[in-house]
Amino acid sequence: QVQLVESGGGSVEAGGSLRLSCAVSGLSYVPYCMAWFRQGPGKEREGVATINRYGAKQYAASVKGRFTISRDNTLYLHMNALKPEDTAVYYCAASSSDQRLCFPGLTTFGYWGQGTQVTVSS
């Protein structure tokens, strides 16, 4: 019944922008932590950005200054100055109900979106 539905992915040229959205429904609690992950071709999944329920944000060094995470009832990732190395499948995630941390390596994310493809050409 819980659904995280992503949208906004696509193909853009280097230097362009995209806004990803993740609509959340069916959760009986407000997740303490929400996050965006990505997995590029032949690469491991990595945390891109997190935001806790109070609005505190963190970003991977590779996207800091270019990407902005935000949330209301929907999770967003505004991506500017895109580079070819940003090409990946992007996933949104919501932390489990007992979590009170917001770090990709430490927080248990109980719910995930299906992933949306972002392709950046040069």
Side-chain angles (χ1 to χ4, degrees), residues 9-114:
S11 182
V12 298
E13 294 183 342
S17 298
L18 285 173
R19 184 175 64 251
L20 306 183
S21 299
C22 175
V24 181
S25 63
L27 274 183
S28 60
Y29 63 96
V30 178
Y32 185 85
C33 183
M34 300 195 72
W36 289 96
F37 293 80
R38 69 184 182 187
Q39 186 168 22
K43 301 176 68 176
E44 296 293 316
R45 185 183 65 191
E46 64 174 340
V48 175
T50 64
I51 181 169
N52 75 9
R53 66 176 298 170
Y54 304 108
K57 306 168 183 179
Q58 69 162 43
Y59 300 93
S62 59
V63 308
K64 192 172 298 182
R66 300 188 297 119
F67 291 10
T68 302
I69 189 171
S70 61
R71 65 186 284 185
D72 39 50
N73 292 323
T74 300
L75 179 70
Y76 302 96
L77 185 68
H78 197 294
M79 311 163 70
N80 296 315
L82 283 161
K83 304 175 180 179
E85 50 262 46
D86 295 318
T87 295
V89 178
Y90 284 72
Y91 302 89
C92 64
S95 61
S96 300
S97 63
D98 63 321
Q99 301 297 292
R100 295 297 181 269
L101 297 174
C102 202
F103 300 96
L106 296 174
T107 302
T108 297
F109 293 93
Y111 300 98
W112 294 79
Q114 79 285 357

